[in-house]
Amino acid sequence: SCFEAGKLSQKEKQLIALAVSVHGHDEYCIVYHTNGCVDAGCTEEEMMEAIGVAAALGGGSAMSQGVIVWQNALEDFTKTLQ
């Protein structure tokens, strides 16, 4: 799978996928890759930085959608881990 560790770690690949999902305004993929990031051990700060990069390239709509969908997904996934 393209998400297996190689020259890039699974964590790095999930952060890239999250950023691409935000840039593409793909709500399903934002949720999916937020979960992937949590599973790969990404911190909230790392995820926010990836979203920030996507927003810098995708404009305000990427930022607003990315943050809202990501926050909701992160809350759902971290509640299930506790």
Side-chain angles (χ1 to χ4, degrees):
S1 154
C2 68
F3 286 99
E4 292 180 15
K7 298 293 182 188
L8 297 174
S9 68
Q10 287 182 326
K11 181 178 176 177
E12 292 166 322
K13 290 180 179 187
Q14 286 296 338
L15 288 167
I16 292 167
L18 177 61
V20 170
S21 300
V22 168
H23 187 268
H25 305 278
D26 189 329
E27 187 172 332
Y28 174 79
C29 288
I30 294 169
V31 171
Y32 182 83
H33 292 296
T34 296
N35 188 40
C37 283
V38 169
D39 289 345
C42 298
T43 66
E44 288 185 38
E45 292 81 11
E46 290 169 327
M47 288 184 267
M48 281 300 300
E49 190 168 331
I51 291 169
V53 171
L57 298 172
S61 62
M63 180 60 118
S64 62
Q65 181 182 18
V67 170
I68 291 168
V69 174
W70 170 77
Q71 283 178 328
N72 291 337
L74 185 63
E75 285 178 18
D76 289 345
F77 294 126
T78 55
K79 283 181 192 173
T80 61
L81 295 175
Q82 296 175 356

